[in-house]
Amino acid sequence: MKKIPSVTKAKNIQSVRGMHDILPVDYPLWEKATKSFREVIEFYNFTQMATPVLESVELYVRTLGETSDVVEKEMYTIKTKGGDQLAMRPEGTAGVARAYIEHGMSHQPHPVRLAYFGPFFRHDKPQAGRLRQFHQAGFEIFSSENDPLYDAQTMLAAYRFIEGLKIKGVTAHINTIGCRICRPNYRKALVAYYKPLEKKLCGDCRRRLPVNPMRLLDCKVPTCQPFKEQAPTTLDHLCAICKTHFTELLEYLEDVKLPYSLNHFLVRGLDYYTKTVFEFILDPVAGEEDLAFALGGGGRYDYLVETLGGKPTPAVGAALGIERLLEVMKRRNLNVPARTKERVFLIHIGDLAKKKSLSLIEMLREGGVNVIESLGKESMAAQLRNADKYQVPFALIFGQKEAYEESVIIRDMKTGAQETVPLLKLVAAIKKRFTSQ
Ligand code: AMP
């Protein structure tokens, strides 16, 4: 006898590790984030743009640097059938700078202020606040002068965005990492300091010392911490121009009361940064230890445009991590109130009413009344249950009799009071009820 194959239960397909769905319940928070973003870009005169998710690997190798964590370990790369090496964008600045050159934006009146909002990808170990697909809102200013005013304004735009989400107690941790002139001296001083300690350093630090000694300053390994404390700081090695730039920036921040704190260990690990670097971090509060991550960060990148073949262009930018901001909002119950839109629920009974319901909904839409329905359901009880779930103040009952007579019953869901209204007067009658509520 032929064996009947057993029916095995299909395994459910899950979302990819570190990449999350944004569920309807969280969308009001996302809308709040996009609203705050829009308000900031309008006020500070940024224009929004978007770059593709896929860019050439070369773009990131050349700008972020081969020894950066992002390029070395975290990029999702793809080899196309044609043999091109592409990367799923791990950050926004390099792509925006590429587009700035490619589309001749250097010929526009400066400063050119560009903003973006979208998904980014890093193959990092997923953990609290660290995803493999995450979203950033970014602000970039390309200017003709190397003016600390723009550093301050970029930081302000980012800070106002956070403030727009009602997140309080945020400080900008700030440092300067110098320029082409003074940074080599600083690197030399760092190597000279760390060289005798080499044997005591962690593996990553030992490897980084000859290639990128500044990265030793953001090492998190506990045994390396005491060495960091004693390490030379950039401030003692800055050239006169970088020193003035930093001092003026701090003055601007004081003028606009943007809370900041000097952090000599902040280096931000990407090659393109020069002078100013900063990160926005929540002030420590008991119970929020797990939110001690950077909500956003950025800095000046004066050589990036020329690294990509454009003419030398001073520039500065900031990017904020949307998921991290939303995590803070959720933890602090800064939830957006449920939709306040005034809506009615349409209940239909019988075939004729069902048939006429679609055009009735359109009539309400044109009149500016929001409607929810469950037209697929036949039973009145099931529809009423749905109306209850949506917590609408009024239901419209559209039965066989009403469909013939071109009328609808308006039911007050709280009191149960009902009134029959001619279809032609329905919109006005609903609006009157909403205004007198
Ligand atoms: P970065 O330029 O790497 O400092 O990124 C800017 C901001 O994006 C960070 O301060 C975070 O808020 C956010 N971010 C960066 N990487 C991730 C990630 N893997 N998961 C979630 N958010 C991230």
Side-chain angles (χ1 to χ4, degrees):
M1 214 171 75
K2 219 172 160 191
K3 212 175 158 199
I4 302 167
S6 64
V7 181
T8 50
K9 200 166 170 262
K11 206 173 153 222
N12 287 347
I13 297 173
Q14 307 275 321
S15 60
V16 174
R17 189 158 177 252
M19 303 201 181
H20 294 314
D21 300 310
I22 304 169
L23 296 173
V25 65
D26 286 331
Y27 244 90
L29 291 177
W30 281 81
E31 278 170 12
K32 177 94 187 137
T34 45
K35 187 165 167 267
S36 180
F37 174 68
R38 280 235 68 81
E39 283 167 3
V40 167
I41 65 175
E42 265 159 40
F43 184 81
Y44 291 102
N45 200 23
F46 285 83
T47 40
Q48 191 170 353
M49 64 169 296
T51 58
V53 164
L54 288 176
E55 296 270 5
S56 68
V57 166
E58 173 70 14
L59 173 68
Y60 301 110
V61 173
R62 237 205 268 177
T63 57
L64 314 188
E66 241 161 335
T67 58
S68 63
D69 278 352
V70 175
V71 168
E72 218 174 39
K73 310 180 198 158
E74 297 168 3
M75 265 197 319
Y76 282 90
T77 53
I78 296 165
K79 190 169 176 199
T80 66
K81 284 183 185 157
D84 293 333
Q85 291 281 358
L86 304 181
M88 289 175 77
R89 57 182 193 184
E91 62 93 63
T93 304
V96 170
R98 181 212 31 81
Y100 168 89
I101 301 166
E102 189 171 331
H103 302 288
M105 290 189 226
S106 60
H107 303 299
Q108 291 176 7
H110 278 56
V112 172
R113 294 185 169 93
L114 302 170
Y116 59 86
F117 191 116
F120 292 87
F121 305 84
R122 291 185 196 169
H123 191 268
D124 203 349
K125 198 168 156 222
Q127 51 191 285
R130 197 168 296 282
L131 305 167
R132 289 182 171 173
Q133 176 177 333
F134 56 97
H135 292 72
Q136 284 185 344
F139 307 96
E140 317 284 356
I141 303 183
F142 300 84
S143 57
S144 30
E145 319 78 27
N146 195 325
D147 194 325
L149 181 118
Y150 296 124
D151 307 43
Q153 207 174 42
T154 310
M155 292 178 72
L156 256 183
Y159 188 70
R160 296 284 179 243
F161 174 61
I162 300 173
E163 263 188 348
L165 302 175
K166 307 274 182 287
I167 297 177
K168 298 209 166 74
V170 175
T171 296
H173 292 233
I174 186 168
N175 193 17
T176 173
I177 54 170
C179 66
R180 272 177 189 156
I181 299 177
C182 51
R183 204 186 310 172
N185 293 336
Y186 178 56
R187 286 169 62 120
K188 257 189 228 152
L190 268 182
V191 174
Y193 166 78
Y194 271 112
K195 200 78 192 145
L197 303 167
E198 206 171 355
K199 286 204 178 84
K200 298 179 186 160
L201 299 174
C202 72
D204 264 351
C205 283
R206 276 204 302 272
R207 194 172 49 81
R208 283 171 176 158
L209 185 58
V211 276
N212 200 344
M214 284 170 72
R215 294 294 312 283
L216 271 66
L217 296 177
D218 64 9
C219 173
K220 303 281 182 293
V221 176
T223 49
C224 292
Q225 301 311 302
F227 308 129
K228 266 168 59 171
E229 305 290 333
Q230 305 299 321
T233 67
T234 44
L235 280 185
D236 294 332
H237 295 82
L238 293 180
C239 63
I241 292 175
C242 285
K243 210 175 260 177
T244 311
H245 189 99
F246 197 53
T247 314
E248 285 181 9
L249 167 59
L250 299 185
E251 283 166 8
Y252 280 127
L253 297 183
E254 269 155 39
D255 285 348
V256 294
K257 301 192 170 47
L258 196 158
Y260 71 83
S261 153
L262 298 183
N263 180 348
H264 303 310
F265 304 131
L266 192 68
V267 290
R268 293 206 31 85
L270 303 182
D271 276 6
Y272 61 57
Y273 286 118
T274 44
K275 295 191 173 124
T276 317
V277 285
F278 54 84
E279 276 179 358
F280 291 98
I281 299 176
L282 285 180
D283 302 335
V285 171
E288 288 190 346
E289 291 76 7
D290 57 325
L291 301 179
F293 39 52
L295 300 174
R300 181 161 275 287
Y301 50 91
D302 291 338
Y303 311 129
L304 177 59
V305 173
E306 64 178 280
T307 307
L308 290 173
K311 62 178 189 201
T313 309
V316 53
L320 293 136
I322 305 299
E323 283 82 357
R324 291 189 185 179
L325 290 166
L326 299 198
E327 185 60 33
V328 177
M329 289 171 78
K330 281 192 200 167
R331 285 284 293 281
R332 293 187 175 178
N333 286 323
L334 302 174
N335 291 335
V336 180
R339 262 215 256 197
T340 51
K341 258 193 192 164
E342 293 164 337
R343 299 187 291 181
V344 293
F345 195 99
L346 174 64
I347 294 169
H348 68 92
I349 308 152
D351 286 344
L352 184 64
K354 180 173 181 178
K355 224 169 151 221
K356 288 191 169 182
S357 286
L358 220 52
S359 51
L360 170 57
I361 291 168
E362 290 311 295
M363 185 190 90
L364 291 166
R365 187 187 65 80
E366 276 163 32
V369 176
N370 294 296
V371 199
I372 334 171
E373 38 68 26
S374 40
L375 286 183
K377 296 224 181 306
E378 297 302 336
S379 101
M380 165 111 171
Q383 294 182 69
L384 264 173
R385 269 199 304 278
N386 275 357
D388 269 340
K389 266 189 221 150
Y390 283 106
Q391 296 181 322
V392 289
F394 305 106
L396 306 181
I397 302 174
F398 194 39
Q400 203 76 348
K401 181 164 171 276
E402 288 75 26
Y404 271 121
E405 291 176 357
E406 306 263 297
S407 65
V408 174
I409 298 169
I410 304 181
R411 179 190 171 92
D412 187 316
M413 294 295 284
K414 230 187 252 158
T415 63
Q418 299 194 164
E419 190 191 343
T420 305
V421 178
L423 270 186
L424 285 175
K425 295 192 177 158
L426 181 62
V427 169
I430 296 170
K431 285 191 166 167
K432 196 168 152 214
R433 277 176 172 73
F434 274 127
T435 43
S436 58
Q437 247 193 339

